[in-house]
Amino acid sequence: MPAQSQSTPVRALSFAPRPVPLSATLAVNEALARKKRQGVPVLPLGFGEAGIPIHPALTRELEAAAGRGGYGPVAGSAALRAAAAGYWTRRALPTDPSVVVAGPGSKPLLFALLMSLGGDVVVAAPSWVSYAAQTSLAGAEAVRVATPPGEGGVPSPALLADAVVRARARGRTVRTVIVTLPDNPTGTIASEDTVRRLCAVARDLDLVIISDEIYRDLVHDPGHAVPSPAGFAPERTVVTTALSKSLAAGGWRLGVARLPDGPFGRELRDSVLGVASEIWSSAPAPMQHAAAYAFAEPPELAEHIDRSRRLHAAVTGAVADRFAAAGASVTRPEAAFYLYPDFGPLRDVLREGHGIRTSSDLTGLLLERYGMGVLPGSAFGDAPAALRMRVAPSLLYGEDDEQRLAALASPSPAGLPWIAGALDRLTEVLGDLIETADVGEPVPA
Amino acid sequence: MPAQSQSTPVRALSFAPRPVPLSATLAVNEALARKKRQGVPVLPLGFGEAGIPIHPALTRELEAAAGRGGYGPVAGSAALRAAAAGYWTRRALPTDPSVVVAGPGSKPLLFALLMSLGGDVVVAAPSWVSYAAQTSLAGAEAVRVATPPGEGGVPSPALLADAVVRARARGRTVRTVIVTLPDNPTGTIASEDTVRRLCAVARDLDLVIISDEIYRDLVHDPGHAVPSPAGFAPERTVVTTALSKSLAAGGWRLGVARLPDGPFGRELRDSVLGVASEIWSSAPAPMQHAAAYAFAEPPELAEHIDRSRRLHAAVTGAVADRFAAAGASVTRPEAAFYLYPDFGPLRDVLREGHGIRTSSDLTGLLLERYGMGVLPGSAFGDAPAALRMRVAPSLLYGEDDEQRLAALASPSPAGLPWIAGALDRLTEVLGDLIETADVGEPVPA
C-alpha cells in the first residue's frame, strides 16, 4: 500500500479547518497597517493599545531578568504572586499570594477560566470582543444581556436573572457572568449599586463572576472609585488584570488572576493550573520578574500611570467633543482610552445619503473612504442596526516615542500639532460623511 | 430581591470546576521543588528542561528589545517569520515566511492547531504527555497507536490505518496524527522508511500530520539526519519548533509553526490565527526579536547548540549505562535529553519485593523513598503494567550557571564531581531498590 499510495497524485485534504475569524480588534489593527504600507493616510482609532512607551525603569527590570530561561511554576513565581497580592490588598481586596495565578496575558487566563468552569457565559452587550469568541471556542454559548443605560461593562441586574432562567429553561447550563470594570468598549464605570445588585443576582443564580479590571488604574478622575464584585461576593468572584493597559506592555504578555478564597476557589485554581499547564506552561519568566516590580507600584511607575491617565482623559474627551459636534450622541468616557459614540441621531441622513443601515456599514465606509479605523458596535455584541462604534484614540498620541513622551508630559496634549491634526482630520471626516450624505450622493455600503 | 439575597448566608458554588490535572512533567517538577524546600535530597530526572544557561548573545538580543511593548501581528513579526523560514529552508524544507506562525511556545500553537483542525487525534504510545491532554481539552479523543520497536515518536504505519478505520467505524472523526521527531520520551529517531510509510498512510486516510520537531537540533550524532514528514507529504504536514530545548529558553515562551503551502494550508493558517487572536493575541514581542536572531543561526549560537548536544549525549549515555547495569533494558538514546528504560526484566523481583505492578507504582516508590523524580510510562500513554519510565538527566548538569557552563565546556562531563555524584546516587538508588526487593522487604506501593 505505501508504495502505491506514494505514486498517486498529491491531493488536498477533504475537510476544512474550523472557520475562526481574527479577533476584530487585532483585525482592524492589521487592516490599517496594510493601508499604511500602501501609503494611504490613516486615522487609527480601532486598536486598544495604550499608545505610550514602556517606562524605562520597567524596561530595566526586564533587561535584568533576560537570562531567566527556566519555565518556573505554572502559577507564576512566588515574587510575582506576592506582589500581585499586595496590589489587590492595597485596593481593599485582601489577597493571599496562593490565590494568584499568572499567565501570558489576562486573555489566556480568561480562556482557562472558561475552560475550567464549563457551561454558558453571560456577557454584557456591548462587551469586549473576545469574551463571546472565547466562550464559543470553549464550546459554550454566550448569553448577551444589555447594560443599564450609561453604565457599560455590567449586564443589567434587572435583566440578568430573567436571561439566565430562560437559558436554563431551554436546557443550557449557565455558570459564569463576565463584567468589565471600568468598561471596554464604552469607557464608563458601572455604579456601586449596580455592581452590588449584580452580585446579589449572581449569588441567587449560583453564578461565578469574572471581573476584568484591566483598566482599573486608568480612571480619569482619581477620586472615582471602581466597585469590584470581589468586594461584595468574594466567594465567587475572579478578578483579572495585566500590564497591558496601564503600563502599555501588551506585547509583553503578562496577566494575573485573583481567584476566590475557600474550597471552590481552590478547586478552580487547581483546574485553571491544569489547563494552563497543558496550553501554555507558564508566563514568560523575564516578564514575571518585571511584573513583580510593577505590581509593587514604585513611585516612578505610579507617576507614569498617573500621567497616562491624564493623557487618556484629555484626548478621549477631545475626541468625544468632535463626535458630539458632528451630531453623534456620546456618553462622556470616565476611564481607559475608549469612547462609544452613537450615530442614531444621524440615522436617516446616513441611510438616505450612504445606504448605511448597520454599524458595520458605517465603519466599513469610514475605513474604505477615509482610512479611519474604528470598530462597529456589532463586533461587541450590540444590535447591528444600532449605529454605535468603539473609538480608541490612544494611537494618536504619537508616531514615535519622542512624540508619545511629549504627549505624556504636556499639560494640554490635545493641542500638540500631531494630535490636533488628527482631531481636525476627524472633524473633516465626520463633516464630509454628513455633508456628502446631505447633498444626496449615495455611496454603496 | 437584592436586599434579601444579600442577607442570606454566603454559600459555595453548587457545581465543581472541570477536573484537569497538572501536566505530569510540570507536576513532577513542582513535587521535587517542594521536597527540596523541605531539605530532602533529590535526584531530579523528571522535567524536560534543557539544564543549560541561555547564551549571553541571545540574552543581549532580548535586552535590546526589552522596550517593545506593542502587540504586533498575531502571526509574529516579519523578521521572526523570515528567520524561521530560513531556518527550515536550510533543513531542506523550503519555506515562505507567509506560512510561519509564531506563538508563546509551541505548546499553545499545538493547541490552536487541534482547535482549528477539529476531530480526533492519533498519538503515539508512548508520546509527550500534552498531546493527549490537549486533545481532550479540545473536546476530542486521542487514538493511541504503538510505535515500531526501537523507534519512538511515530505511530506504527502498519497499525495506523487499522486504528483509524476502526475509530471511524464507531463514528469518530479522525483528522490528525501527531509525530515527534526526534522523540520525547524515548530519545530515539524514527527511520526515514517509517516516516515515509506514515506519510503514505496519512495521505490514504486524509489525515493532517503535525510533526513536533523541537528536538531536531539535538541529535547526538550530527551525521544522523532527521526525516521530516514535511519532506514527503508537504501538502498536509505542519512542523513546530521552539527556543525551549536547543537554546534552553523554555521560560521565554516562544515557538513557531510551519504550515503547509497551498489552499488547505492557507485555510488552516487563517483558522489558527483566529484561535490565536482570541486565546493569546501574540507571542511576547521582545522574545520575537531575540528569536529572529536565534533562527538566523549565528555561529556563536550554533557552537553553543553543538556543545549542548555533546553534553546531552554524554550524560544521557552515562545514565543509560547505569540503568542497564542495574538490570533494566534501555534503548540507547539518539537525541535530546531523555531515555526510556524498561524494568520489565525485573518485573518479578519488583512485584514480589515491593508490590510494584505498574509504572506509576515504581516511580511513586522512587519519589517517596529516594527523592528520585522520573515519570511513569503510563503518563505517556504506555500500558500501566509496562514498567517503563522517562528519565530526563538534564537537570543534573549543575545547581548553578557556573556548574552548567563547566559541564558544557567539559570534554567528559560525566566525570565532573556533581554529575558523577548524581550518577553514583542513581546507581545506589537502583541497587537499593533491587536489593531491598531481593531480601524480601515488601513496601506498600
Side-chain angles (χ1 to χ4, degrees):
Chain A
M1 182 180 70
Q4 183 193 345
S5 62
Q6 274 172 38
S7 64
T8 58
V10 171
R11 59 179 171 77
L13 280 292
S14 73
F15 60 89
R18 171 182 185 150
V20 185
L22 206 63
S23 161
T25 52
L26 293 157
V28 72
N29 199 35
E30 302 198 358
L32 284 179
R34 274 195 301 277
K35 282 201 173 281
K36 219 168 162 179
R37 278 197 301 272
Q38 292 158 5
V40 178
V42 299
L43 199 51
L45 300 166
F47 191 51
E49 198 150 53
I52 54 171
I54 297 187
H55 191 280
L58 189 56
T59 305
R60 277 195 299 275
E61 291 296 319
L62 182 60
E63 288 167 10
R68 300 197 180 191
Y71 291 84
V74 177
S77 72
L80 169 54
R81 288 183 290 110
Y87 167 90
W88 276 305
T89 300
R90 286 188 295 280
R91 280 156 183 78
L93 299 175
T95 306
D96 188 87
S98 67
V99 305
V100 177
V101 175
S106 54
K107 197 183 249 190
L109 286 167
L110 283 164
F111 182 69
L113 284 161
L114 298 185
M115 292 287 280
S116 291
L117 290 166
D120 295 338
V121 181
V122 179
V123 301
S127 60
W128 182 50
V129 298
S130 290
Y131 301 142
Q134 286 196 350
T135 300
S136 160
L137 285 175
E141 251 183 43
V143 178
R144 294 185 190 277
V145 173
T147 59
E151 297 181 63
V154 175
S156 163
L159 304 175
L160 175 61
D162 187 52
V164 172
V165 167
R166 276 189 291 120
R168 287 177 175 165
R170 59 184 174 89
R172 306 298 309 179
T173 303
V174 186
R175 289 194 168 160
T176 308
V177 53
I178 304 184
V179 303
T180 321
L181 287 156
D183 185 37
N184 167 17
T186 64
T188 61
I189 308 169
S191 70
E192 180 178 322
D193 179 60
T194 295
V195 173
R196 280 185 183 274
R197 287 193 296 132
L198 177 101
C199 290
V201 177
R203 200 168 273 163
D204 282 343
L205 293 171
D206 201 30
L207 296 176
V208 169
I209 304 167
I210 298 178
S211 184
D212 179 349
E213 302 183 4
I214 198 167
Y215 299 101
R216 177 188 259 273
D217 297 333
L218 296 179
V219 179
H220 298 168
D221 168 6
H224 188 151
V226 176
S228 174
F232 310 121
E235 81 289 354
R236 67 189 60 243
T237 300
V238 179
V239 181
T240 63
T241 190
L243 301 184
S244 312
K245 307 304 176 185
S246 52
L247 288 165
W252 281 16
R253 311 312 303 128
L254 197 293
V256 283
R258 175 191 185 272
L259 273 62
D261 229 330
F264 176 80
R266 280 191 291 278
E267 281 173 35
L268 183 58
R269 177 180 183 274
D270 288 348
S271 176
V272 164
L273 290 180
V275 173
S277 74
E278 299 299 2
I279 301 186
W280 68 73
S281 298
S282 57
M287 279 68 173
Q288 290 190 44
H289 171 82
Y293 160 80
F295 283 119
E297 303 181 87
E300 61 274 22
L301 290 194
E303 196 213 324
H304 187 66
I305 293 173
D306 207 50
R307 282 182 181 206
S308 76
R309 173 163 62 186
R310 287 197 298 261
L311 174 60
H312 299 319
V315 178
T316 313
V319 170
D321 290 343
R322 302 298 175 115
F323 276 95
S329 156
V330 195
T331 300
R332 194 84 190 167
E334 302 170 302
F337 32 80
Y338 305 114
L339 59 154
Y340 201 67
D342 184 346
F343 281 73
L346 300 164
R347 173 178 305 282
D348 293 346
V349 169
L350 292 171
R351 189 181 60 239
E352 284 158 30
H354 298 295
I356 286 169
R357 287 168 198 280
T358 66
S359 58
S360 67
D361 288 347
L362 177 55
T363 60
L365 178 67
L366 289 171
L367 179 66
E368 287 316 313
R369 192 193 267 192
Y370 303 105
M372 173 170 156
V374 290
L375 287 174
S378 55
F380 300 88
D382 225 342
L387 295 182
R388 290 187 277 258
M389 58 176 69
R390 192 196 70 172
V391 179
S394 47
L395 291 183
L396 304 182
Y397 299 163
E399 288 275 338
D400 53 36
D401 280 357
E402 197 187 339
Q403 287 189 341
R404 293 183 195 112
L405 289 170
L408 268 179
S410 170
S412 54
L416 291 170
W418 56 94
I419 299 180
L423 290 170
D424 290 346
R425 171 69 183 146
L426 174 61
T427 292
E428 191 179 283
V429 166
L430 296 178
D432 192 71
L433 177 76
I434 313 300
E435 196 180 311
T436 54
D438 273 346
V439 299
E441 283 182 28
V443 170
Chain B
M1 182 178 69
Q4 185 194 342
S5 61
Q6 272 174 39
S7 63
T8 59
V10 170
R11 60 181 169 76
L13 281 293
S14 73
F15 61 88
R18 172 183 184 147
V20 184
L22 206 63
S23 162
T25 52
L26 293 158
V28 72
N29 199 37
E30 302 199 356
L32 284 179
R34 274 195 301 275
K35 282 199 174 283
K36 219 168 160 179
R37 278 197 301 272
Q38 292 158 5
V40 178
V42 299
L43 200 51
L45 300 166
F47 191 51
E49 198 149 53
I52 53 172
I54 297 188
H55 191 280
L58 189 56
T59 304
R60 277 196 298 275
E61 292 295 320
L62 182 60
E63 288 167 10
R68 298 194 181 195
Y71 291 84
V74 179
S77 73
L80 169 55
R81 289 184 289 110
Y87 167 91
W88 276 305
T89 300
R90 287 188 295 279
R91 281 155 184 78
L93 299 175
T95 305
D96 187 87
S98 67
V99 305
V100 177
V101 175
S106 54
K107 196 182 251 189
L109 286 168
L110 282 164
F111 182 70
L113 284 161
L114 298 184
M115 292 287 280
S116 291
L117 290 166
D120 295 338
V121 181
V122 180
V123 302
S127 60
W128 181 50
V129 298
S130 291
Y131 300 143
Q134 286 196 350
T135 300
S136 160
L137 285 175
E141 251 183 44
V143 178
R144 295 186 189 277
V145 173
T147 58
E151 297 181 64
V154 176
S156 163
L159 304 176
L160 174 60
D162 187 51
V164 172
V165 167
R166 275 189 291 120
R168 286 177 175 166
R170 61 185 174 87
R172 306 298 309 179
T173 303
V174 187
R175 287 192 169 163
T176 307
V177 54
I178 303 183
V179 303
T180 321
L181 287 156
D183 185 36
N184 167 17
T186 65
T188 61
I189 308 169
S191 70
E192 181 177 321
D193 179 59
T194 295
V195 173
R196 279 185 184 276
R197 287 192 297 133
L198 177 101
C199 290
V201 177
R203 199 166 273 163
D204 282 343
L205 293 171
D206 201 31
L207 296 176
V208 169
I209 304 167
I210 298 178
S211 185
D212 178 350
E213 302 183 5
I214 199 167
Y215 299 101
R216 177 189 259 272
D217 298 332
L218 296 180
V219 178
H220 299 168
D221 168 7
H224 187 150
V226 176
S228 174
F232 311 121
E235 81 289 354
R236 68 189 60 243
T237 300
V238 179
V239 181
T240 63
T241 191
L243 302 185
S244 312
K245 308 302 176 185
S246 53
L247 289 165
W252 281 16
R253 312 312 304 128
L254 197 294
V256 282
R258 175 191 185 273
L259 273 63
D261 228 331
F264 176 80
R266 280 191 291 278
E267 282 173 33
L268 183 57
R269 178 180 182 276
D270 288 347
S271 176
V272 164
L273 290 180
V275 173
S277 73
E278 299 299 2
I279 300 187
W280 69 73
S281 297
S282 57
M287 280 68 175
Q288 291 190 45
H289 172 82
Y293 160 80
F295 283 120
E297 303 182 85
E300 61 275 21
L301 290 194
E303 196 212 324
H304 186 67
I305 292 172
D306 208 49
R307 281 182 181 207
S308 76
R309 173 162 62 187
R310 288 198 298 262
L311 174 60
H312 299 319
V315 178
T316 313
V319 170
D321 290 343
R322 302 297 174 116
F323 276 94
S329 158
V330 195
T331 300
R332 193 86 190 164
E334 302 170 302
F337 33 80
Y338 305 114
L339 59 154
Y340 202 67
D342 184 346
F343 281 73
L346 299 165
R347 173 177 305 281
D348 293 346
V349 169
L350 292 172
R351 190 182 58 241
E352 285 159 28
H354 297 297
I356 287 170
R357 289 168 196 281
T358 65
S359 58
S360 67
D361 289 346
L362 177 54
T363 59
L365 178 67
L366 289 171
L367 180 65
E368 287 316 314
R369 192 192 268 192
Y370 304 106
M372 173 171 156
V374 290
L375 287 174
S378 55
F380 300 90
D382 226 341
L387 296 182
R388 289 186 278 259
M389 60 175 69
R390 191 195 72 172
V391 179
S394 47
L395 291 184
L396 304 183
Y397 299 164
E399 287 275 339
D400 53 35
D401 280 357
E402 197 187 340
Q403 287 189 340
R404 294 182 195 113
L405 289 171
L408 268 179
S410 170
S412 53
L416 291 169
W418 56 93
I419 299 180
L423 290 169
D424 290 346
R425 171 70 184 148
L426 174 61
T427 292
E428 192 178 283
V429 166
L430 297 177
D432 192 71
L433 177 77
I434 314 299
E435 197 179 307
T436 54
D438 272 346
V439 298
E441 282 183 28
V443 170

